[in-house]
């Protein structure tokens, strides 16, 4: 026997019974984000590799280990997008959006790809919904962005939601802090994990992320970035927090918050769910004021987030939904009349289906119950149909061309 081919590790099929929940989630995201003035953008699934190596950062796990990179027939290096922010910034610069009224507020929903260790809540192809606001460094942009994600997750019914916020300051302050942190790590080098030790030069901040016991102990009295913030960064952050308070967003300031991407400056935040295991981040984001310039565009501040669709669903974030009811199920000996009836019913705005299973009369009634169909029309050969009202059980013989006109458009539906 030939081997059965399966989906690649870390990927999954969205089957029809899950598709409805996803569609409802997307509809709700659209409602919340568009009400706040965000407009939809979609960028390509693959981009020049350089966009991510320059934008996301050479030292990140994403760029070092997790990208699906390939060269195309023309010898270009392309990468399946591991995240959406760099591409939105590329599109902003490429289409001259800095000439529009600022900030430009954009949202997206699509597939992303990371070669990660697959486990519950972590996939190699996953979906994100994201929102980016470019062109303003007003703290109100930060607060509104965080509020939108918190609102969306709350509305969707995601359980155990916790918001953590921090500020990284700007690059200059971070350089001073980085040196202080590196000095601390070097002073305790022998107690650190091998991985953290190897990264003292490249990415010392990641030490806060380690679950290695020795490293965790060393990090307990590590210097904290908030003590190194410059006055205007500290004021910016204080204003973000004041606005979150005014909007009644519950949050925790977490000075050890580390994001896995390099482009952040000033505000960063993450939303976790206590309902999820190791992969507890539902979403995260922050300010990336240097990113547009980093990839060759005009200096432009930006702020945004992305959230994982699979994780929102795992945390119970499924809006109530029901399969749309069927108004009419047309069955009986197949033929042009049967088709015509379904087409007429659809033209009249009804939801009609043709029974394509060649079912017996009894089988059709069962199917009608399964679909919650309101009416069943069983076609006779002579241009008539037995029309059954599935609610009342009443049945009448009706001329086929009168069904839509006289019966279904009446008060019953
Ligand atoms: P991120 O934290 O890398 O940020 O990803 C955001 C969310 O995507 C995560 O919190 C998680 O829910 C989901 N996610 C990430 N990787 C996976 C995976 N392998 N499987 C399932 N879900 C996953 C970003 O991507 C930034 N672009 C967010 C941002 C937007 N920052 C500013 N603007």
């Amino acid at each position: 026997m030939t081997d059965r081919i399966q989906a690649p590790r870390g990927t999954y099929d969205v089957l029809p019974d899950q598709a409805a929940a996803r569609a409802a989630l997307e509809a709700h995201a659209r409602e919340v984000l568009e009400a706040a003035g965000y407009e939809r953008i979609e960028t390509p699934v693959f981009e020049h590799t350089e966009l991510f190596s320059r934008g996301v950062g050479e030292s990140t796990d994403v760029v070092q280990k997790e990208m699906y990179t390939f060269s195309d027939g023309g010898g270009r290096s392309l990468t399946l997008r591991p995240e959406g922010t760099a591409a939105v910034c590329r599109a902003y610069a490429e289409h001259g959006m800095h000439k529009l009224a600022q900030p430009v507020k954009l949202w997206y929903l699509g597939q992303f790809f990371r070669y990660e260790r697959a486990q519950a809540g972590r996939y190699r192809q996953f979906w994100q919904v994201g929102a980016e606001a470019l062109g303003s460094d007003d703290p109100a942009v930060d607060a509104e962005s965080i509020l939108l994600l918190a609102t969306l997750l709350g509305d969707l019914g995601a359980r155990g939601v916790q918001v953590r916020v921090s500020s990284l300051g700007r690059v200059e302050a971070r350089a001073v802090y980085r040196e202080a942190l590196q000095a601390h790590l070097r002073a305790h080098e022998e107690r650190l994990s091998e991985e953290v030790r190897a990264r003292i030069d490249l990415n010392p901040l990641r030490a806060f992320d380690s679950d290695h016991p020795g490293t965790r102990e060393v990090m307990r009295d590590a210097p904290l970035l908030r003590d190194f913030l410059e006055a205007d960064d500290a004021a910016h952050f204080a204003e973000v927090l004041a606005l979150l308070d005014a909007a009644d967003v519950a949050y925790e300031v977490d000075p050890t918050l580390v994001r896995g991407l390099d482009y952040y400056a000033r505000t960063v935040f993450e939303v976790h769910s206590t309902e999820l295991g190791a992969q507890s981040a539902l979403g995260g984001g922050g300010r990336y004021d240097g990113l547009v310039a980093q990839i060759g565009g005009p200096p432009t501040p930006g702020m945004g987030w992305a959230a994982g669709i699979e994780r929102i669903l795992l945390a119970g974030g499924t809006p109530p939904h029901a399969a749309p009811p069927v108004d009419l199920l047309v069955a009986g000996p197949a033929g042009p009349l049967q088709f015509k009836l379904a087409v007429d019913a659809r033209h009249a705005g009804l939801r009609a289906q043709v029974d394509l299973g060649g079912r017996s009369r009894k089988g059709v009634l069962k199917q009608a119950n399964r679909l919650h169909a309101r009416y069943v029309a069983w076609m006779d050969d002579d241009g008539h149909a037995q029309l059954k009202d599935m609610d009342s059980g009443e049945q009448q013989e009706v001329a086929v061309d009168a069904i839509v006109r006289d019966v279904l458009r009446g008060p019953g539906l």
Side-chain angles (χ1 to χ4, degrees):
M1 213 170 75
T2 325
D3 286 345
R4 188 159 47 85
I5 298 173
Q6 295 188 324
R9 204 177 160 69
T11 70
Y12 61 91
D13 301 304
V14 180
L15 299 175
D17 61 338
Q18 299 132 21
R22 285 172 168 257
L25 198 157
E26 174 170 355
H28 195 73
R30 165 173 291 125
E31 209 175 290
V32 169
L33 295 169
E34 294 191 350
Y38 282 73
E39 295 178 294
R40 181 83 179 240
I41 183 169
E42 285 307 335
T43 60
V45 160
F46 57 84
E47 297 272 356
H48 290 294
T49 303
E50 204 188 346
L51 175 68
F52 303 115
S53 49
R54 261 210 268 162
V56 173
E58 291 283 4
S59 71
T60 60
D61 279 353
V62 169
V63 170
Q64 285 200 342
K65 309 192 240 180
E66 297 172 0
M67 297 209 297
Y68 282 94
T69 296
F70 57 98
S71 52
D72 70 3
R76 296 169 202 90
S77 179
L78 300 172
T79 293
L80 295 183
R81 58 183 185 181
E83 63 98 50
T85 311
V88 169
C89 290
R90 177 201 47 70
Y92 177 90
E94 191 165 331
H95 302 287
M97 291 192 223
H98 58 283
K99 295 184 207 124
L100 305 175
Q102 306 292 305
V104 173
K105 299 190 282 186
L106 302 165
W107 77 279
Y108 50 87
L109 185 138
Q111 292 108 318
F112 295 84
F113 306 85
R114 292 184 195 177
Y115 183 70
E116 292 200 81
R117 207 156 38 81
Q119 62 185 88
R122 189 156 71 185
Y123 305 93
R124 292 180 177 170
Q125 174 176 326
F126 56 97
W127 288 72
Q128 278 186 349
V129 55
E132 315 285 357
L134 291 117
S136 167
D137 63 2
D138 193 315
V141 174
D142 307 43
E144 189 189 53
S145 175
I146 297 170
L147 171 66
L148 280 173
L149 180 54
T151 304
L152 179 62
L153 293 171
D155 286 0
L156 292 170
R159 291 187 297 260
V161 170
Q162 295 175 334
V163 179
R164 298 178 199 165
V165 285
S166 183
S167 175
L168 301 179
R170 271 165 306 169
V171 182
E172 307 79 50
R174 225 151 60 218
V176 179
Y177 169 69
R178 212 179 135 99
E179 275 171 30
L181 181 59
Q182 281 167 333
H184 178 78
L185 291 172
R186 282 207 192 91
H188 303 281
E189 209 165 330
E190 70 296 339
R191 287 157 66 198
L192 302 175
S193 76
E194 219 169 287
E195 204 188 343
V196 169
R197 219 179 304 152
R199 289 204 182 201
I200 294 181
D201 285 327
L202 202 57
N203 198 348
L205 271 163
R206 293 307 297 268
F208 282 110
D209 246 1
S210 171
D211 359 300
H212 175 259
T215 307
R216 289 182 75 100
E217 234 168 77
V218 172
M219 296 319 284
R220 216 167 284 153
D221 44 33
L224 291 177
L225 184 50
R226 68 165 172 219
D227 300 323
F228 287 73
L229 290 190
E230 290 183 26
D232 59 339
D233 288 345
H236 189 275
F237 187 49
E239 180 67 19
V240 173
L241 298 184
L243 292 169
L244 290 176
D245 289 337
D248 275 334
V249 177
Y251 62 84
E252 180 199 329
V253 174
D254 177 359
T256 67
L257 183 66
V258 179
R259 302 275 304 134
L261 313 163
D262 270 0
Y263 46 63
Y264 294 109
R266 295 189 150 181
T267 311
V268 285
F269 78 105
E270 264 176 4
V271 182
H272 289 254
S273 166
T274 52
E275 296 289 306
L276 301 181
Q279 304 307 316
S280 66
L282 293 170
R287 193 160 264 296
Y288 44 88
D289 291 347
L291 179 54
V292 179
Q294 180 86 22
I295 58 172
T300 310
M303 164 80 204
W305 51 259
I309 299 292
E310 296 81 4
R311 294 194 194 166
I312 297 176
L313 293 169
L314 280 172
T318 318
H321 67 275
V326 173
D327 297 320
L328 175 67
L329 178 63
V330 184
L337 262 187
Q338 203 194 55
F339 248 84
K340 176 91 172 56
L341 175 57
V343 170
D344 287 350
R346 285 175 194 161
H347 279 156
L350 302 172
R351 273 179 292 252
Q353 288 192 24
V354 179
D355 172 46
L356 301 171
R359 290 180 176 79
S360 68
R361 227 163 153 144
K362 205 165 135 208
V364 164
L365 292 179
K366 251 196 190 160
Q367 175 71 354
N369 279 328
R370 234 177 267 139
L371 296 173
H372 304 293
R374 178 70 206 280
Y375 286 94
V376 174
W378 179 270
M379 310 293 288
D380 294 331
D381 283 333
D382 62 354
H384 284 78
Q386 300 296 327
L387 186 70
K388 181 161 183 165
D389 181 332
M390 297 297 290
D391 283 355
S392 66
E394 271 171 42
Q395 187 165 309
Q396 51 177 321
E397 188 177 288
V398 189
V400 171
D401 51 10
I403 290 181
V404 173
R405 195 185 60 225
D406 298 343
V407 185
L408 298 184
R409 310 282 352 244
L413 274 172

